[in-house]
Amino acid sequence: MADRMRELVDILNEASKAYYAEDHEIMSNFEYDKLYDELVALEQETGITLSDSPTVHVGYEVVSELPKERHPAPMLSLDKTKDVGALADWLNGKEGLLSWKMDGLTVVLTYDNGELVKAVTRGNGEIGEVITANAKTFKNIPLRISYKGRLSVRGEAVISYSDFEKINSRIPDTDAKYKNPRNLCSGSVRQLNSEITAKRNVRFFAFSMVEPEDKELVDSFENSFKKRFEYLESLGFQVVEYKEVTSETIADAVKSFAEKIPQNDFPSDGLVLDLEDVAYGKSLGMTAKFPRDAIAFKWQDEEAETTLTEIEWSPSRTGLINPVAIFEPVDLEGTEVRRASLHNISYVKDMKLGLGDRIKVYKANMIIPQISENLTKSGSLEIPDTCPACGAATVIKNENGTETLNCPNPECPAKNIKLFSLFVSRNAMNIDGISEATLERFIAEGFLHDIYKLSDYKDRIVVLDGFGEKSYNNMLSSIEKSRKCTMEGFLYGLGISGIGVANAKLIVRYFKSDFDRIMNATAAELCEIEGVGDVMARDFTEYMSKADKREEIERLLSEIEFVIEENTAEQDLEGKTFVITGSLNSFPNRDALKKVIEDRGGKVAGSVSSKTSYLINNDINSNSSKNKNAKKLGVPIITEEDFLNL
C-alpha cells in the first residue's frame, strides 16, 4: 500500500504542478479526482499521510517573474463531493447559497479609500503573484468604489467561451491555438505586459470578501452570506450566479445549474455551497486543508460504453503527430460524440488501447470528450512508423517521462500548415472554402503541394466526408478568382518574417508596383521606407536570397496575375499617422476608412503613441483607453466628419 501511495502522490503533484504553475494539463479532472479519492481512502485505511501528499498541501509554487506576496491568511481549497445527497447532509438543516465554481484563476482585489490598490493571484494558497496593473484592465471590475475603508474581494478571473473562440480564430497556426479558456485566462492574467491582458477580455466574478475591519459594516450584513453578495453588487461587482437552498431544495437547484451548462458562456468545473449563516460557519473552524463553512460539488460525469474503431494520427506544424480516438457514436449530455483526444503515446500505452476495445467515454466538465476507462485493455494498437503527411520515418521522443510521436522531416507539408493558411487568408490571396481544418485534411491525404494544382485531386476530394461536388466547385472557383490578386496581398501571403499587410503595402508603393525591383531590393533601399527597420530589411533580403524561395515565387508568379490599381488620390495625408476606434457612420467598416487614408499617403496604426497624428473616434468624450492615451499625449481626437473635412 505504501508503494501505491507514493506513486499516487508523485502523479498528483506532477499534475498539480503542470496545472497551477505551468498552465497546461497532463490529465483530466476526472482522472485527477479518481486518483485523489484513491489516495484519501488509502490514507484513511493506513493512518499514514506522506509529507508531500496533495491532501495536506495546497496548489504549487508560482514560477513567473511577477512580484510575489504572501497572503495574510492561507487561501485553502474546498472539500468536495459528487453526491447531491451529501450536500443535503452537509447543510444539516441550515440554509445555504449555491453558486458556480468557475474555472479560471482566483484573484484577490484590495481596495483602500475607494481605490483599487492591489490584486494578487491565489498562487499556491500561501504566496501569490501581484498582478495589479493587469487586473485594472479586467472588463467588469470597478476601479473605484463608494466604500472608503479597506476591503478585499475574492473572485475568479475568467475568459468566456465566445471570447476564447474569437481569440483562437485569429491564430492561423493550429499548434499555437490555446487549449481551453482556463489556460488562456491564466496566461493572460499573469502577463508581464498589461496591454496584452487588456486585449483578452478577462472578466472578474466575485465570490466572497475577506472580513472587513469596519465593525459597523460587518454588523450590517447580519451574518448573512447573501447580504455580502448584495453589498458587493451594490459596489459595482459582478458576483457569481447563486441560489438560496435548503436540504429539501438543494437537488432541484443543482439540476437547475446543470441545465444551464450547454448555454453557459463561462467555463465552470462544478458548484460551491456556502453556509448562509457566516458566524455559524466560522464557528466550525477548519481542517489543515479545508474550511468547514463551504464545500465544492463536482459534476458526476455521465459515462457511456462504446467500441474503439480507429485511431487518427494527426500531424502538426511542429512535427508532433497527435493521436485521436474514433469510436462508435454515443450520446453524452445531449449531444452525439464520436471522437476524443488521446494526448500522447504514453497515454495510449497507459490505457492499453487497441482497435475493437470496449471503452468508457465521458465529457470532462460536461464539455470535453475524454476516455475514462478501457474495459478490454488489449494493448494491441500499433504506433505508426511513418508520417501520414509525408511518409518519412517517425521518431518517438521522451521528454520528462512523456512519450510523443514526431515527424523529423523538415520538408513535411504538415509543418507548412501555417504558411498555407496565411497564403489563403483574406488579406493575402483571399481564397474562400479552404479553412485550416481543410488544409490539414488535404495535407494528411497528400493532396497539398500546390494550391493551384488541387484540381488534380478532384476525384479524391469530392468523396471526403463533408465535401462533395458543390463544395469542391466553390473552392475551385475561389482559387481561380485568386489568380488575379493585389501585389501587396501576394507579398504578405509569402509569410516573410515581419512583413504584415501594412508593410507589404508600403513596400509595393515605394517600388511603384515593380515586383522585380521588390525581389531584388537591398537592405539599404528597404530602410529608406518609413516604417521598415534594419531587422525587417534583413529578414526580407535573406528570404529573397534563398534559391528555394525564389523558385517557389517564380512558380507562383506563373499561376497568377497582379491587378495594379492606379491611385489617383491626392497625397495630402503623407507623413500623417491615424488610429481608428469605435463605430463608424460614413464608412461601411474600418478597412474602407483605412484604404482612403492609405490611398492619400497616410498610415494607420493600431494603438495611440506620440507619433500618432489623429485618433478617429465618433465618441470624442468616451473613456476608452485610446481616448485617454490620446488626451495624455496631446493627440487630437476627431470624428469621421472632421476627418472628411481635412
Side-chain angles (χ1 to χ4, degrees):
M1 286 188 183
D3 288 343
R4 178 56 178 165
M5 288 171 67
R6 165 50 59 193
E7 181 183 15
L8 288 170
V9 166
D10 289 343
I11 292 171
L12 291 169
N13 282 344
E14 186 64 27
S16 290
K17 179 181 178 182
Y19 187 82
Y20 287 109
E22 298 169 357
D23 295 331
H24 69 91
E25 297 176 18
I26 59 175
M27 67 171 61
S28 67
N29 287 343
F30 182 91
E31 295 167 294
Y32 185 94
D33 290 345
K34 189 175 180 181
L35 297 177
Y36 185 93
D37 291 343
E38 182 184 348
L39 178 59
V40 170
L42 287 173
E43 288 180 346
Q44 291 173 345
E45 183 179 346
T46 62
I48 299 170
T49 302
L50 299 171
S51 62
D52 58 346
S53 170
T55 64
V56 294
H57 281 70
V58 182
Y60 210 85
E61 289 295 332
V62 295
V63 292
S64 82
E65 299 174 36
L66 290 165
K68 298 176 180 64
E69 182 173 299
R70 185 173 293 276
H71 295 292
M75 294 181 65
L76 301 178
S77 58
L78 298 178
D79 198 2
K80 62 182 182 294
T81 182
K82 293 186 176 182
D83 181 8
V84 177
L87 292 180
D89 294 341
W90 183 86
L91 279 172
N92 194 26
K94 299 287 183 181
E95 294 180 349
L97 255 66
L98 188 67
S99 61
W100 289 115
K101 184 175 182 293
M102 290 191 161
D103 193 17
L105 193 69
T106 301
V107 174
V108 184
L109 305 178
T110 300
Y111 292 78
D112 200 0
N113 194 31
E115 300 277 343
L116 176 61
V117 294
K118 187 167 56 180
V120 184
T121 68
R122 179 183 184 276
N124 69 351
E126 294 183 0
I127 299 174
E129 299 157 301
V130 180
I131 48 109
T132 310
N134 293 345
K136 288 181 178 179
T137 72
F138 292 175
K139 296 299 177 186
N140 63 335
I141 68 164
L143 296 179
R144 297 179 182 82
I145 59 175
S146 57
Y147 178 66
K148 300 306 177 187
R150 193 166 181 86
L151 183 70
S152 291
V153 181
R154 291 178 178 175
E156 199 80 356
V158 297
I159 289 177
S160 68
Y161 285 116
S162 52
D163 283 329
F164 171 74
E165 294 297 338
K166 286 177 188 174
I167 291 167
N168 260 355
S169 70
R170 295 195 291 264
I171 302 173
D173 181 1
T174 302
D175 290 341
K177 290 181 186 290
Y178 298 99
K179 303 303 180 190
N180 55 57
R182 191 262 169 198
N183 285 8
L184 174 58
C185 181
S186 180
S188 300
V189 170
R190 297 161 65 197
Q191 283 287 333
L192 297 179
N193 182 352
S194 60
E195 185 180 356
I196 297 174
T197 308
K199 294 176 180 176
R200 302 283 175 79
N201 287 341
V202 180
R203 287 173 170 80
F204 177 86
F205 291 86
F207 56 66
S208 71
M209 67 171 74
V210 179
E211 193 69 11
E213 298 170 355
D214 187 337
K215 187 178 185 303
E216 187 177 333
L217 178 64
V218 173
D219 289 344
S220 73
F221 297 146
E222 300 173 354
N223 282 324
S224 166
F225 203 93
K226 180 186 176 185
K227 285 187 181 295
R228 293 181 176 225
F229 267 168
E230 290 173 343
Y231 181 67
L232 288 174
E233 286 182 292
S234 75
L235 293 177
F237 291 96
Q238 192 169 355
V239 302
V240 291
E241 181 186 351
Y242 62 89
K243 291 180 181 293
E244 298 174 79
V245 294
T246 63
S247 297
E248 290 72 34
T249 63
I250 185 73
D252 287 339
V254 170
K255 182 181 178 183
S256 173
F257 275 105
E259 288 170 349
K260 292 182 178 181
I261 287 178
Q263 291 79 39
N264 197 10
D265 198 28
F266 291 99
S268 65
D269 55 359
L271 302 170
V272 174
L273 178 59
D274 291 276
L275 287 168
E276 161 66 357
D277 189 327
V278 176
Y280 173 72
K282 284 183 180 177
S283 73
L284 299 177
M286 61 184 66
T287 68
K289 184 175 173 65
F290 307 123
R292 290 194 173 102
D293 59 351
I295 187 171
F297 174 77
K298 305 281 280 187
W299 303 111
Q300 188 73 48
D301 299 297
E302 181 185 341
E303 285 187 305
E305 189 175 319
T306 184
T307 301
L308 182 66
T309 58
E310 183 185 349
I311 300 294
E312 181 181 279
W313 296 90
S314 177
S316 67
R317 185 186 65 82
T318 61
L320 190 66
I321 303 175
N322 301 297
V324 178
I326 314 294
F327 42 81
E328 291 179 355
V330 292
D331 186 75
L332 288 175
E333 316 292 354
T335 60
E336 187 179 85
V337 178
R338 60 177 71 219
R339 299 164 65 89
S341 170
L342 296 175
H343 309 297
N344 50 56
I345 292 180
S346 293
Y347 185 89
V348 170
K349 289 181 177 178
D350 289 344
M351 294 291 286
K352 296 183 173 60
L353 291 172
L355 300 184
D357 283 0
R358 293 295 291 173
I359 58 175
K360 285 186 175 181
V361 295
Y362 73 104
K363 277 188 178 180
N365 293 331
M366 305 175 80
I367 296 170
I368 305 168
Q370 302 278 349
I371 294 178
S372 58
E373 189 178 356
N374 181 8
L375 303 174
T376 309
K377 296 184 178 179
S378 68
S380 60
L381 187 69
E382 293 185 9
I383 308 300
D385 54 11
T386 59
C387 171
C390 69
T394 55
V395 173
I396 295 177
K397 294 182 180 179
N398 190 319
E399 295 181 9
N400 300 320
T402 300
E403 289 186 326
T404 57
L405 189 66
N406 295 265
C407 173
N409 177 16
E411 300 303 319
C412 178
K415 294 182 179 180
N416 294 322
I417 187 70
K418 181 179 180 181
L419 288 176
F420 277 119
S421 183
L422 176 67
F423 187 77
V424 303
S425 66
R426 181 168 60 91
N427 288 324
M429 302 303 287
N430 193 24
I431 302 176
D432 291 330
I434 306 186
S435 65
E436 190 163 313
T438 300
L439 288 169
E440 288 177 340
R441 289 180 70 189
F442 286 178
I443 284 172
E445 296 287 342
F447 302 159
L448 196 57
H449 304 289
D450 183 341
I451 290 285
Y452 293 103
K453 301 294 183 188
L454 276 175
S455 57
D456 294 347
Y457 301 95
K458 176 184 177 181
D459 292 343
R460 295 172 62 188
I461 291 174
V462 294
V463 297
L464 289 177
D465 186 31
F467 250 84
E469 286 281 349
K470 186 176 180 180
S471 296
Y472 170 81
N473 289 334
N474 288 341
M475 178 187 70
L476 205 66
S477 174
S478 188
I479 290 173
E480 289 304 310
K481 219 180 276 184
S482 77
R483 291 181 185 273
K484 290 190 175 182
C485 63
T486 65
M487 192 175 291
E488 57 266 26
F490 176 77
L491 190 61
Y492 166 65
L494 293 177
I496 304 170
S497 179
I499 304 300
V501 178
N503 290 323
K505 287 181 179 178
L506 290 174
I507 292 170
V508 170
R509 185 185 300 165
Y510 182 83
F511 289 104
K512 302 188 185 305
S513 301
D514 186 334
F515 204 75
D516 283 335
R517 285 185 64 200
I518 291 172
M519 287 179 66
N520 296 296
T522 65
E525 285 178 304
L526 291 164
C527 286
E528 290 292 319
I529 305 171
E530 184 184 354
V532 177
D534 293 341
V535 175
M536 195 185 299
R538 182 199 65 208
D539 290 343
F540 188 94
T541 53
E542 282 183 1
Y543 181 96
M544 291 296 182
S545 67
K546 293 177 180 176
D548 60 328
K549 298 298 183 186
R550 302 278 291 210
E551 185 179 331
E552 181 182 16
I553 290 172
E554 294 292 351
R555 178 176 55 77
L556 288 170
L557 289 175
S558 69
E559 301 280 358
I560 64 171
E561 176 187 343
F562 290 133
V563 177
I564 309 298
E565 295 182 3
E566 188 177 351
N567 181 17
T568 58
E570 185 180 351
Q571 301 298 289
D572 54 348
L573 297 182
E574 197 163 353
K576 291 183 171 61
T577 299
F578 295 79
V579 173
I580 307 167
T581 190
S583 59
L584 299 174
N585 301 322
S586 302
F587 293 87
N589 51 51
R590 291 185 188 178
D591 282 344
L593 175 52
K594 184 178 177 183
K595 185 177 187 305
V596 170
I597 292 170
E598 290 175 342
D599 284 348
R600 291 167 62 182
K603 286 173 58 180
V604 178
S607 58
V608 177
S609 71
S610 59
K611 295 181 179 179
T612 305
S613 306
Y614 297 96
L615 170 63
I616 301 176
N617 187 353
N618 284 325
D619 186 0
I620 289 179
N621 297 315
S622 82
N623 288 317
S624 69
S625 59
K626 285 188 173 73
N627 271 32
K628 288 178 180 177
N629 284 342
K631 290 173 184 176
K632 189 189 300 181
L633 296 169
V635 173
I637 305 173
I638 62 174
T639 65
E640 280 177 276
E641 187 177 351
D642 295 330
F643 168 76
L644 292 171
N645 290 332
L646 284 178

